[in-house]
């Protein structure tokens, strides 16, 4: 190893250290932003080091560097504009798109590395194996993440899309991709085979995500994020770059952990989501279960809810998917602020999968200026419900279904918010339709529960108006 | 060659373990920004785009360099900016009342 190579290695090590320190600082909201900046600093070091290294070791020509600079300018502009203008409710889709481009970039890098070595009679396995894996994983991530983003955005139906023979086609495409991959390892470098691998992988990504329901899409985003990490690490193996290997492994670990936690919070296995996504969940609710028995339901008006809230001491709000979908975070924050201004203690109980991805609800509430101390995680919230006068459930369903404590149904064993431990419960919901799990919720017919049927945004605004009458009178 | 591979494999495995250790300590409150931050980190594949740019010497390689650069740069810049935007909301010192946001919501 020359002195120069040693220095390059040291700088890469420094960049990798900053990535780890940056992620480490994300364990508390007070240091998280700093952590992100530290990680960005690591990125700057990695990029500058690579530029110097590439100029000294390879030199290159102006067309290659020109393509890089123009491409980077285009990509950076797109990324910055989207990142600055995106609505906080659309964050999961955007994360998925950025994930897609990362996977695509990894595949493109491996592809280019392969093209550069085309003239050789044979390729060393230490290069060809990562190249094949990279094109495979990167392409699957690219197309799969774009489909997942489309589902979250509503461009592509959130329902599981499936057709006769889909599974068979899936297996055939997978076999073509893997088969060509193995073939490429034993024959001389052949561009056509690599193209087949790429196209088959792209198709596989589409086929893998299409049958997955919209509510499961965030789990897939997280899983594909882990894939991208692996793809980037593979690209690192292919071009012998430690910064890529370390960063890729970190992301792979992050995606894997998050995927497992999400699946646990949704009471499903990752395997069931990928394979069992074929027709479960969403289709159950889409079926004709509209005819719900309303006889035991106590229906409230905005005024009734306002009286309960205005005379309470401790209120806990449990926001759910319905709140995120209606983009009602500002309305709920306004109501909470009105109540706290009049001496009522208001907290938010946030289930790990309450938004559209884990922690998404916290982002939405933070956007609406909700103080961090008011957001309770699952365990803290459940301890607080026993001392709570009114639990206000907004657009959440399965995450507060008491049936989860009983065996033998779709949500059995799922960790839930114990809203039924509060002295009274108000559920703000558009209708009695069951949620994602497709089962009824006994909470809604509980004698201490009142139902307020409305869109989250309008309903909360109406309650706020009504509360003003009581607290200002 | 096999030495390099072994070294790289060791780095990979140890990094995975570090990743698991660091990330499992992050509270669920911050999971969305964390996923976005991890997303930005894998944009380091832009280093790969730089390396292939410097060895590119055919039209196919130039096109691939361009594609890799567009995708990787979008990943890096977009990822860090959007994560910063989210986290800035968490760390705002004094929550101000939200008249400005009301106007936006009315649309």
């Amino acid at each position: 190893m020359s002195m120069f190579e040693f220095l390059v290695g040291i700088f890469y090590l420094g960049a990798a250290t900053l990535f780890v320190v940056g992620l480490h600082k994300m364990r508390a909201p007070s240091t998280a932003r700093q952590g992100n900046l530290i990680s960005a600093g690591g990125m700057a070091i990695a990029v500058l080091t690579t530029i110097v290294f590439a100029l000294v070791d390879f030199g290159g020509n102006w067309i290659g560097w020109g393509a890089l600079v123009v491409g980077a300018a285009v990509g950076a502009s797109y990324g910055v504009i989207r990142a600055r203008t995106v609505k906080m409710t659309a964050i999961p889709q955007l994360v998925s798109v950025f994930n897609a481009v990362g996977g695509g970039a990894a595949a493109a890098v491996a592809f280019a590395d392969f093209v550069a070595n085309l003239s050789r009679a044979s390729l060393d396995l230490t290069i060809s194996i990562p190249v094949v894996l990279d094109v495979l994983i990167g392409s699957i991530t690219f197309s799969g993440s774009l489909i997942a983003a489309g589902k979250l955005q509503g461009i592509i139906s959130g329902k599981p899309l499936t057709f006769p023979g889909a599974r068979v086609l899936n297996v055939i495409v997978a076999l073509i991709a893997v088969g060509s991959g193995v073939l490429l390892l034993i024959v001389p470098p052949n561009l056509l085979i690599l193209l087949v691998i790429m196209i088959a992988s792209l198709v596989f990504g589409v086929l893998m995500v299409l049958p997955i329901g919209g509510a499961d899409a965030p789990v897939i985003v997280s899983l594909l994020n882990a894939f991208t990490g692996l793809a980037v690490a593979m690209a690192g193996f292919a071009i012998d770059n430690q910064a890529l290997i370390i960063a890729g492994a970190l992301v792979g670990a992050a995606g894997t952990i998050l995927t497992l936690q999400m699946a646990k919070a949704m009471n499903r296995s990752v395997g069931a989501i990928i394979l069992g996504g074929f027709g479960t969940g969403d289709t159950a609710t889409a079926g004709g279960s509209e005819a719900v028995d309303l006889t035991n339901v106590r229906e409230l008006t905005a005024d009734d809810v306002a009286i309960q809230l205005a005379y309470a001491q401790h209120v806990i709000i449990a926001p759910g998917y319905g709140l995120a979908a209606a983009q009602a975070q500002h309305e709920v924050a306004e109501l909470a602020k009105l109540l706290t201004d009049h001496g009522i203690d208001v907290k938010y109980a946030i289930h790990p999968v309450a938004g559209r991805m884990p922690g998404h609800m916290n982002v939405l509430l933070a956007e609406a200026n909700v103080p961090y101390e008011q957001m309770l995680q699952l365990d803290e919230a459940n301890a607080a419900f026993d001392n709570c006068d009114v639990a206000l459930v907004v657009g959440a369903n399965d995450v507060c279904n008491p049936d989860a404590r009983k065996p033998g149904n779709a949500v059995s064993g799922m960790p839930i918010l114990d809203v039924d431990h509060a002295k009274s419960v108000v559920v703000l919901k558009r209708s009695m339709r069951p949620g994602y799990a497709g089962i009824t919720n006994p909470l809604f017919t509980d004698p201490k529960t009142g139902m307020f049927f409305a869109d989250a945004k309008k309903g909360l605004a109406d309650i706020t108006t009504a509360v003003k009458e009581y607290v200002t009178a | 060659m096999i030495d390099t591979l072994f070294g790289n494999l060791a780095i990979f495995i140890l990094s995975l373990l570090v990743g698991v250790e660091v990330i499992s300590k992050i509270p669920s409150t911050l999971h969305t920004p964390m996923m976005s931050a991890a997303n930005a980190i894998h944009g380091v594949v832009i280093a790969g785009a730089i390396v292939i740019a410097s060895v590119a010497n055919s039209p196919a390689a130039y096109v691939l360099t361009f594609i890799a650069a567009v995708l990787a740069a979008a990943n890096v810049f977009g990822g860090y900016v959007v994560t910063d935007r989210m986290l800035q909301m968490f760390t705002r010192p004094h929550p101000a009342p939200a008249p400005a946001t009301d106007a936006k919501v009315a649309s």
Side-chain angles (χ1 to χ4, degrees):
Chain A
M1 188 185 261
S2 72
M3 191 62 196
F4 176 67
E5 281 172 338
F6 176 76
L7 276 177
V8 167
I10 290 292
F11 275 97
Y12 278 156
L13 193 57
T17 309
L18 293 182
F19 290 149
V20 174
V21 173
L23 277 178
H24 176 86
K25 282 193 174 271
M26 294 202 70
R27 65 176 64 184
S30 51
T31 55
R33 194 179 181 197
Q34 194 195 3
N36 187 51
L37 292 176
I38 289 173
S39 162
M43 184 65 69
I45 293 176
V47 168
L48 291 176
T49 306
T50 311
I51 290 175
V52 173
F53 163 75
L55 276 174
V56 171
D57 254 29
F58 305 114
N61 60 42
W62 70 270
I63 312 180
W65 287 106
L68 179 81
V69 170
V70 175
V74 171
S77 320
Y78 169 80
V80 171
I81 291 170
R82 281 299 308 276
R84 282 187 184 272
T85 52
V86 66
K87 278 191 176 175
M88 284 298 136
T89 40
I91 287 283
Q93 312 54 324
L94 190 69
V95 169
S96 189
V97 169
F98 287 154
N99 189 39
V101 295
V109 167
F111 212 103
D113 191 46
F114 186 81
V115 168
N117 288 301
L118 258 186
S119 51
R120 298 200 198 172
S122 73
L123 211 50
D124 200 288
L125 282 182
T126 54
I127 295 180
S128 58
I129 291 178
V131 163
V132 167
L133 285 176
D134 207 1
V135 171
L136 253 170
I137 304 173
S139 306
I140 292 174
T141 320
F142 181 72
S143 60
S145 296
L146 286 182
I147 299 288
K151 276 182 179 275
L152 288 165
Q153 181 72 37
I155 300 170
I156 299 167
S157 167
K159 284 182 195 154
L161 296 175
T162 183
F163 50 89
R167 273 186 196 233
V168 178
L169 184 63
N170 230 327
V171 171
I172 292 173
V173 173
L175 283 179
I176 292 175
V178 174
S180 335
V182 174
L183 185 65
L184 195 69
L185 298 181
I186 45 185
V187 301
N190 183 322
L191 194 58
L192 194 68
I193 302 180
L194 194 66
L195 272 174
V196 171
I197 299 177
M198 187 188 78
I199 293 168
S201 305
L202 286 172
V203 173
F204 183 80
V206 174
L207 290 175
M208 179 177 129
V209 181
L210 274 184
I212 289 163
D216 275 344
V219 184
I220 285 302
V221 172
S222 177
L223 185 68
L224 291 171
N225 199 24
F227 278 16
T228 313
L230 289 182
V232 169
M234 291 306 143
F237 279 103
I239 62 169
D240 190 21
N241 183 316
Q242 284 79 27
L244 260 60
I245 295 174
I246 297 174
L250 286 175
V251 180
T256 308
I257 291 179
L258 214 51
T259 307
L260 294 175
Q261 288 192 354
M262 264 160 111
K264 194 175 151 218
M266 295 171 82
N267 203 30
R268 296 164 52 114
S269 76
V270 178
I273 291 168
I274 297 171
L275 295 172
F278 293 72
T280 61
D282 280 359
T283 42
T285 58
S289 50
E290 293 289 324
V292 178
D293 183 17
L294 284 167
T295 45
N296 291 324
V297 172
R298 189 161 58 92
E299 195 174 337
L300 302 177
T301 64
D303 215 39
D304 301 331
V305 182
I307 295 177
Q308 281 199 47
L309 291 174
Y311 294 102
Q313 284 184 316
H314 299 284
V315 173
I316 298 181
I317 301 172
Y321 176 82
L323 183 136
Q327 307 196 15
Q329 66 269 32
H330 298 290
E331 280 75 8
V332 80
E334 199 189 337
L335 174 63
K337 187 169 184 305
L338 180 66
L339 295 173
T340 40
D341 285 351
H342 288 84
I344 301 165
D345 168 50
V346 181
K347 292 278 194 294
Y348 295 83
I350 300 173
H351 192 273
V353 289
R356 305 203 70 175
M357 65 195 248
H360 187 212
M361 188 60 69
N362 303 82
V363 173
L364 294 181
L365 293 177
E367 186 198 14
N369 284 322
V370 169
Y372 177 70
E373 310 78 60
Q374 286 186 7
M375 303 182 202
L376 304 180
Q377 294 184 47
L378 186 70
D379 296 341
E380 303 168 313
N382 283 344
F385 276 118
D386 292 323
N387 190 29
C388 163
D389 300 311
V390 184
L392 176 61
V393 179
V394 187
N397 192 342
D398 298 329
V399 296
C400 58
N401 192 335
D403 271 355
R405 299 188 199 112
K406 297 179 199 158
N409 61 66
V411 291
S412 295
M414 171 169 151
I416 55 160
L417 293 169
D418 297 330
V419 292
D420 55 337
H421 287 193
K423 293 194 186 76
S424 69
V425 182
V426 173
V427 178
L428 170 52
K429 201 174 173 313
R430 282 193 300 188
S431 70
M432 285 295 285
R433 276 186 59 162
Y436 174 62
I439 59 170
T440 54
N441 189 339
L443 178 73
F444 301 163
T445 46
D446 189 302
K448 68 180 171 190
T449 303
M451 301 294 295
F452 176 35
F453 295 110
D455 167 72
K457 194 168 190 158
K458 176 152 192 319
L460 286 166
D462 289 348
I463 296 173
T464 306
T465 314
V467 169
K468 275 184 187 151
E469 304 257 328
Y470 292 101
V471 291
T472 52
Chain B
M1 213 46 165
I2 203 84
D3 290 350
T4 320
L5 183 65
F6 183 80
N8 286 343
L9 265 179
I11 291 174
F12 178 68
I13 301 287
L14 291 176
S15 307
L16 270 180
L17 294 176
V18 170
V20 170
E21 189 59 28
V22 169
I23 285 146
S24 54
K25 300 255 162 57
I26 294 174
S28 61
T29 312
L30 288 169
H31 272 169
T32 291
M34 183 272 276
M35 197 203 268
S36 177
N39 217 331
I41 289 176
H42 69 50
V44 75
V45 71
I46 196 168
I50 296 168
V51 170
I52 61 168
S54 69
V55 296
N57 57 7
S58 69
Y62 301 138
V63 171
L64 284 168
T65 299
F66 178 78
I67 294 173
V70 172
L71 299 179
N75 192 179
V76 171
F77 284 88
Y80 279 112
V81 171
V82 81
T83 308
D84 187 62
R85 223 182 114 200
M86 273 189 262
L87 290 172
Q88 168 214 329
M89 292 168 180
F90 277 94
T91 52
R92 215 161 2 208
H94 293 290
T101 49
D102 282 350
K104 194 171 77 190
V105 163
S107 60

